[in-house]
């Protein structure tokens, strides 16, 4: 029986890794050993950061809401407490978008202030 050469399989596997390493700098993009390590690490960062992105956006929304609330003489925590007391159920993402619109946020801030009083 003839010996099986694995050149085709190895080449295909290496090609797949090098495609993923496209855009990397130095030997990380064209040497299989370093490219494989770099691609593995990139995958770990990508997996982790898909979750971190959600935290980062929530923090950004909170900062925007806090800035808008302080323009109406309230802290973020006071604003959120008044929001729940007034029965307004708007998530932070929408509130952050409304914070950019002065009139819309003022209307909500007035309702929050009435609920806190």
């Amino acid at each position: 029986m003839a010996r099986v050469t694995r050149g085709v399989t190895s080449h295909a596997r290496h090609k797949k890794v090098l495609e993923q390493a496209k855009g990397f700098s130095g030997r990380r993009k064209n040497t299989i050993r370093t490219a494989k390590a770099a691609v593995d690490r990139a995958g770990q960062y990508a997996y982790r950061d898909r979750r971190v992105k959600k935290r980062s956006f929530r923090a950004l929304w909170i900062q925007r809401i806090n800035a808008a609330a302080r323009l109406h003489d309230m802290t973020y925590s006071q604003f959120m407490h008044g929001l729940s007391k007034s029965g307004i159920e708007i998530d932070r993402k929408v509130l952050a978008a409304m914070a950019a619109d002065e009139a819309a946020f003022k209307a909500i801030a007035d309702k929050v202030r009435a609920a806190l009083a």
Side-chain angles (χ1 to χ4, degrees), residues 56-96:
S56 301
F57 269 105
R58 184 181 170 99
L60 176 67
W61 298 331
I62 288 171
Q63 287 175 347
R64 287 178 178 171
I65 295 165
N66 188 23
R70 286 179 186 274
L71 291 175
H72 297 282
D73 301 321
M74 283 181 275
T75 63
Y76 169 78
S77 61
Q78 289 169 343
F79 180 79
M80 294 307 282
H81 176 63
L83 206 64
S84 63
K85 276 184 88 172
S86 64
I88 300 172
E89 292 184 13
I90 304 176
D91 63 354
R92 286 165 181 82
K93 182 179 179 179
V94 174
L95 274 172

Coordinates of all heavy atoms in Angstrom, one line a residue, residues 56-96:
S56 N -19.0 48.4 28.6 CA -18.5 49.7 28.2 C -19.6 50.6 27.8 O -19.6 51.8 28.1 CB -17.4 49.5 27.1 OG -16.4 48.7 27.5
F57 N -20.5 50.0 27.0 CA -21.6 50.9 26.5 C -22.5 51.3 27.7 O -23.0 52.4 27.7 CB -22.4 50.1 25.4 CG -21.9 50.5 24.0 CD1 -21.2 49.5 23.3 CD2 -22.2 51.7 23.5 CE1 -20.7 49.8 22.1 CE2 -21.7 52.0 22.2 CZ -21.0 51.0 21.5
R58 N -22.8 50.4 28.6 CA -23.6 50.7 29.8 C -22.9 51.9 30.5 O -23.6 52.8 31.0 CB -23.8 49.5 30.7 CG -24.7 49.8 31.8 CD -24.9 48.6 32.7 NE -25.6 48.9 33.9 CZ -26.9 48.7 34.1 NH1 -27.6 48.1 33.2 NH2 -27.4 49.0 35.3
A59 N -21.6 51.8 30.7 CA -20.9 52.9 31.4 C -21.0 54.2 30.7 O -21.2 55.3 31.3 CB -19.4 52.5 31.6
L60 N -20.9 54.1 29.3 CA -21.0 55.4 28.5 C -22.4 56.0 28.7 O -22.6 57.2 28.8 CB -20.8 55.0 27.1 CG -21.0 56.1 26.1 CD1 -19.9 57.2 26.3 CD2 -20.9 55.6 24.6
W61 N -23.5 55.1 28.6 CA -24.8 55.6 28.8 C -25.0 56.3 30.1 O -25.7 57.3 30.2 CB -25.8 54.5 28.6 CG -25.8 53.8 27.3 CD1 -25.5 54.4 26.1 CD2 -26.1 52.4 27.0 NE1 -25.5 53.4 25.1 CE2 -26.0 52.2 25.6 CE3 -26.6 51.4 27.8 CZ2 -26.2 51.0 25.0 CZ3 -26.8 50.1 27.2 CH2 -26.6 50.0 25.8
I62 N -24.5 55.7 31.2 CA -24.6 56.2 32.5 C -23.9 57.6 32.6 O -24.5 58.5 33.2 CB -24.1 55.2 33.6 CG1 -25.0 54.0 33.7 CG2 -23.8 55.9 34.9 CD1 -24.5 52.9 34.5
Q63 N -22.8 57.7 32.0 CA -22.1 59.0 32.0 C -22.9 60.1 31.3 O -23.0 61.2 31.8 CB -20.7 58.9 31.3 CG -19.7 58.2 32.1 CD -18.4 58.0 31.3 OE1 -18.3 58.2 30.1 NE2 -17.4 57.6 32.0
R64 N -23.5 59.7 30.2 CA -24.3 60.7 29.4 C -25.6 61.1 30.2 O -26.0 62.3 30.2 CB -24.7 60.1 28.1 CG -23.6 60.1 27.1 CD -23.9 59.5 25.8 NE -22.8 59.5 24.9 CZ -22.8 58.9 23.7 NH1 -23.8 58.2 23.3 NH2 -21.7 59.0 22.9
I65 N -26.2 60.1 30.9 CA -27.4 60.4 31.7 C -27.0 61.3 32.8 O -27.7 62.2 33.2 CB -28.1 59.1 32.1 CG1 -28.6 58.3 30.9 CG2 -29.2 59.4 33.1 CD1 -29.0 56.9 31.2
N66 N -25.9 61.0 33.5 CA -25.4 61.8 34.6 C -25.2 63.2 34.2 O -25.6 64.1 34.9 CB -24.2 61.1 35.2 CG -23.7 61.7 36.5 OD1 -24.5 62.3 37.2 ND2 -22.4 61.6 36.8
A67 N -24.5 63.4 33.1 CA -24.2 64.8 32.6 C -25.5 65.5 32.4 O -25.6 66.7 32.8 CB -23.4 64.7 31.4
A68 N -26.5 64.9 31.8 CA -27.8 65.6 31.5 C -28.5 65.8 32.8 O -29.2 66.9 32.9 CB -28.6 64.7 30.5
A69 N -28.5 64.9 33.7 CA -29.2 65.0 35.0 C -28.6 66.2 35.8 O -29.4 66.9 36.4 CB -29.2 63.7 35.8
R70 N -27.3 66.3 35.8 CA -26.7 67.4 36.5 C -27.0 68.8 36.0 O -27.0 69.8 36.7 CB -25.1 67.2 36.6 CG -24.8 66.1 37.5 CD -23.3 65.8 37.6 NE -23.0 64.7 38.4 CZ -22.8 64.7 39.7 NH1 -23.0 65.8 40.4 NH2 -22.6 63.5 40.3
L71 N -27.3 68.9 34.7 CA -27.8 70.1 34.1 C -29.2 70.5 34.7 O -29.5 71.7 34.7 CB -27.9 70.0 32.6 CG -26.6 69.9 31.8 CD1 -26.9 69.7 30.3 CD2 -25.8 71.2 32.0
H72 N -29.9 69.5 35.2 CA -31.2 69.8 35.9 C -31.1 69.6 37.4 O -32.1 69.3 38.1 CB -32.2 68.8 35.3 CG -32.5 69.0 33.8 ND1 -33.2 70.0 33.3 CD2 -32.0 68.4 32.8 CE1 -33.2 70.0 32.0 NE2 -32.5 69.0 31.6
D73 N -29.9 69.9 37.9 CA -29.6 69.9 39.4 C -30.0 68.6 40.1 O -30.5 68.6 41.2 CB -30.4 71.1 40.0 CG -30.0 72.4 39.4 OD1 -28.8 72.6 39.2 OD2 -30.8 73.2 39.2
M74 N -29.6 67.4 39.5 CA -29.8 66.1 40.1 C -28.6 65.3 39.8 O -27.9 65.5 38.8 CB -31.0 65.4 39.5 CG -32.3 65.9 40.0 SD -33.7 64.9 39.3 CE -33.9 65.8 37.8
T75 N -28.3 64.4 40.7 CA -27.2 63.4 40.4 C -27.8 62.2 39.6 O -29.1 62.1 39.6 CB -26.5 62.9 41.7 OG1 -27.5 62.2 42.4 CG2 -25.9 64.0 42.5
Y76 N -27.0 61.4 39.1 CA -27.5 60.2 38.4 C -28.3 59.3 39.3 O -29.4 58.9 38.9 CB -26.3 59.4 37.8 CG -26.7 58.1 37.3 CD1 -27.2 57.9 36.0 CD2 -26.5 56.9 38.0 CE1 -27.6 56.7 35.5 CE2 -26.8 55.7 37.5 CZ -27.4 55.6 36.3 OH -27.8 54.4 35.8
S77 N -27.9 59.1 40.5 CA -28.6 58.2 41.4 C -30.0 58.8 41.8 O -31.0 58.1 41.9 CB -27.8 57.8 42.6 OG -27.5 59.0 43.3
Q78 N -30.0 60.1 42.0 CA -31.3 60.7 42.4 C -32.2 60.7 41.2 O -33.4 60.4 41.3 CB -31.0 62.2 42.7 CG -30.3 62.4 44.0 CD -29.9 63.9 44.2 OE1 -29.8 64.7 43.2 NE2 -29.6 64.3 45.4
F79 N -31.7 60.9 40.0 CA -32.5 60.8 38.8 C -33.1 59.5 38.6 O -34.3 59.3 38.3 CB -31.6 61.3 37.6 CG -32.4 61.2 36.3 CD1 -33.2 62.3 35.9 CD2 -32.3 60.2 35.4 CE1 -33.9 62.2 34.7 CE2 -33.0 60.1 34.2 CZ -33.8 61.2 33.9
M80 N -32.3 58.4 38.7 CA -32.8 57.0 38.5 C -33.8 56.6 39.6 O -34.7 55.9 39.3 CB -31.6 56.1 38.5 CG -30.7 56.3 37.3 SD -31.5 56.3 35.7 CE -31.7 54.6 35.4
H81 N -33.5 57.1 40.8 CA -34.5 56.8 41.9 C -35.8 57.5 41.6 O -36.9 56.9 41.7 CB -33.9 57.3 43.2 CG -34.9 57.1 44.4 ND1 -35.3 55.9 44.8 CD2 -35.5 58.0 45.2 CE1 -36.2 56.1 45.8 NE2 -36.3 57.3 46.0
G82 N -35.8 58.7 41.1 CA -37.0 59.4 40.8 C -37.7 58.8 39.6 O -38.9 58.8 39.5
L83 N -36.9 58.3 38.7 CA -37.5 57.7 37.5 C -38.3 56.4 37.9 O -39.4 56.2 37.4 CB -36.3 57.3 36.6 CG -36.6 57.1 35.1 CD1 -37.0 58.5 34.5 CD2 -35.4 56.6 34.4
S84 N -37.8 55.6 38.8 CA -38.5 54.4 39.3 C -39.7 54.8 40.1 O -40.8 54.2 40.0 CB -37.6 53.5 40.0 OG -37.1 54.1 41.2
K85 N -39.6 55.9 40.9 CA -40.7 56.3 41.7 C -41.9 56.9 40.9 O -43.0 56.7 41.2 CB -40.3 57.4 42.7 CG -39.7 56.9 44.0 CD -39.4 58.0 44.9 CE -40.5 58.3 45.8 NZ -40.2 59.3 46.9
S86 N -41.5 57.5 39.7 CA -42.5 58.1 38.9 C -43.2 57.0 38.0 O -44.1 57.3 37.3 CB -42.0 59.2 38.0 OG -41.0 58.7 37.2
G87 N -42.6 55.8 38.0 CA -43.2 54.7 37.2 C -42.8 54.8 35.7 O -43.4 54.1 34.9
I88 N -41.8 55.6 35.4 CA -41.3 55.6 34.0 C -40.3 54.5 33.8 O -39.3 54.4 34.5 CB -40.6 57.0 33.7 CG1 -41.7 58.1 33.9 CG2 -40.1 57.0 32.3 CD1 -41.1 59.5 33.8
E89 N -40.6 53.7 32.8 CA -39.7 52.5 32.5 C -39.0 52.7 31.2 O -39.5 52.3 30.1 CB -40.4 51.2 32.5 CG -41.0 50.8 33.9 CD -41.6 49.5 33.9 OE1 -41.5 48.7 32.9 OE2 -42.3 49.2 34.9
I90 N -37.9 53.4 31.2 CA -37.1 53.7 30.0 C -35.7 53.1 30.3 O -35.1 53.4 31.4 CB -37.0 55.1 29.6 CG1 -38.4 55.7 29.4 CG2 -36.2 55.3 28.4 CD1 -38.4 57.2 29.2
D91 N -35.1 52.3 29.4 CA -33.8 51.8 29.7 C -32.7 52.9 29.4 O -32.9 53.9 28.9 CB -33.5 50.5 28.8 CG -33.5 50.8 27.3 OD1 -33.8 51.9 26.9 OD2 -33.2 49.9 26.6
R92 N -31.5 52.6 29.9 CA -30.4 53.5 29.9 C -30.0 53.9 28.5 O -29.6 55.0 28.2 CB -29.2 53.0 30.7 CG -29.5 53.0 32.2 CD -28.5 52.2 32.9 NE -28.7 52.2 34.4 CZ -29.7 51.4 34.9 NH1 -30.4 50.6 34.2 NH2 -29.9 51.5 36.2
K93 N -30.1 53.0 27.6 CA -29.7 53.2 26.2 C -30.6 54.3 25.6 O -30.1 55.3 25.0 CB -29.8 51.9 25.4 CG -29.4 52.1 23.9 CD -29.5 50.8 23.2 CE -29.1 50.9 21.7 NZ -29.2 49.6 21.0
V94 N -31.9 54.2 25.8 CA -32.8 55.2 25.3 C -32.7 56.5 26.0 O -32.7 57.6 25.4 CB -34.3 54.7 25.4 CG1 -35.3 55.7 24.9 CG2 -34.4 53.4 24.5
L95 N -32.5 56.5 27.3 CA -32.3 57.7 28.1 C -31.0 58.4 27.7 O -31.1 59.7 27.6 CB -32.1 57.4 29.6 CG -33.4 57.2 30.4 CD1 -33.1 56.7 31.8 CD2 -34.1 58.5 30.5
A96 N -30.0 57.7 27.3 CA -28.7 58.4 26.9 C -29.0 59.1 25.5 O -28.5 60.1 25.3 CB -27.6 57.3 26.7

